[in-house]
Amino acid sequence: EILHSESERLLGGLESFRRLARNLGAARSGQLRIAAAPALCIQLVPDAVARVLQRHPQVRFEVETRQYGDLLRAVLAQEVDIALGFDVPPHPALESSVLAEGRFHAIFPIAQARALPGVVRLQRFARQPFIGLHSADPLGAASSATLALGGARPDPIVEVKTNQVALALVARGVGAAIVDQYTAAAADFTAVAVRPLAQSVPYKIHMVRPRFGALSVLHRDFATALARSEKAIAARLPGGRGPAIT
């Protein structure tokens, strides 16, 4: 049993070595394993993957969603090559770079669209059914801080752990919510009205990888595709990018 455990570790390291050797050569081939927060897998990661595959169809990807607490563990355990998350804390064994700074958007059932202003103030959420994001992860904490910034502390009729669930509930007319820009950009605009917020606490999107390891051509190519996809998604939202107000 002891030898079996050790052999699994050695074989895993050998496979990582082979994959790195392939990726160092060129971005035309190789494999990249990606873990990302659920909100980033709606549009951002798929868009970036599609951009890379258009140029290099021989590349292979593994993409999975991970909750906040699992992202760093997945990179440290070498289960993935890159992790993408919101406000990821520093770690001595990991290299973290800021992909973008995001801002929250308000989403409402489409029936309310005509009554909505161009820019929504936070106090509005105290006057209608509200869907809240659980504050156990950085995105939920930033959402709570945004509401506190405007002096609005609505009592959620539903509390969720992912913004995709909030989006689905809003589309069904349950209430309004505050979501990240990537979830907002993925909304069905025939069912959901999206508006920028007058005030918002900014949050950062981090790309994380092992600190002690060569950065392959494939890594760089994917990072470039991510940055371009992020800008394209942000530009599609009402009000464009715009600065966050702190």
Side-chain angles (χ1 to χ4, degrees):
E1 289 179 353
I2 293 172
L3 288 175
H4 177 69
S5 175
E6 183 67 12
S7 67
E8 285 188 334
R9 186 187 68 80
L10 291 172
L11 288 172
L14 179 59
E15 179 56 33
S16 296
F17 178 82
R18 288 172 174 168
R19 182 170 52 254
L20 177 61
R22 289 195 301 266
N23 292 348
L24 284 173
R28 290 192 299 271
S29 63
Q31 184 184 39
L32 197 60
R33 302 169 301 167
I34 303 160
L40 300 177
C41 285
I42 302 175
Q43 283 197 336
L44 180 60
V45 172
D47 279 5
V49 168
R51 286 175 185 266
V52 174
L53 289 176
Q54 284 175 358
R55 296 179 57 199
H56 308 300
Q58 300 304 316
V59 171
R60 293 294 174 261
F61 287 92
E62 291 182 15
V63 180
E64 58 182 281
T65 61
R66 295 261 185 149
Q67 294 298 330
Y68 166 71
D70 290 332
L71 283 173
L72 295 188
R73 286 196 293 270
V75 183
L76 290 168
Q78 298 185 359
E79 296 171 359
V80 298
D81 303 306
I82 290 175
L84 299 165
F86 299 98
D87 289 339
V88 178
H91 190 284
L94 299 176
E95 181 179 295
S96 178
S97 58
V98 177
L99 177 66
E101 185 174 276
R103 65 172 184 168
F104 289 105
H105 280 67
I107 55 175
F108 299 85
I110 195 62
Q112 299 182 31
R114 290 188 178 182
L116 293 173
V119 177
V120 172
R121 300 194 66 80
L122 294 166
Q123 289 79 2
R124 186 180 189 93
F125 296 106
R127 305 195 302 269
Q128 69 170 85
F130 182 71
I131 300 159
L133 182 63
H134 198 280
S135 60
D137 61 42
L139 196 62
S143 175
S144 298
T146 292
L147 288 166
L149 183 68
R153 298 185 181 274
D155 183 21
I157 59 171
V158 183
E159 191 171 57
V160 299
K161 289 190 176 181
T162 66
N163 277 334
Q164 297 96 310
V165 178
L167 179 61
L169 289 167
V170 173
R172 287 159 176 77
V174 173
I178 293 174
V179 298
D180 63 276
Q181 63 198 42
Y182 309 106
T183 300
D188 176 0
F189 297 121
T190 65
V192 175
V194 179
R195 296 289 188 275
L197 290 171
Q199 295 173 291
S200 178
V201 171
Y203 52 87
K204 290 180 172 61
I205 299 90
H206 287 93
M207 181 171 68
V208 182
R209 69 177 201 88
R211 182 179 298 278
F212 306 106
L215 187 64
S216 71
V217 176
L218 181 53
H219 280 81
R220 293 192 184 95
D221 204 51
F222 182 68
T224 300
L226 274 173
R228 291 175 178 171
S229 295
E230 196 282 328
K231 289 180 181 177
I233 291 170
R236 290 201 296 266
L237 287 165
R241 168 73 68 183
I245 301 174
T246 58

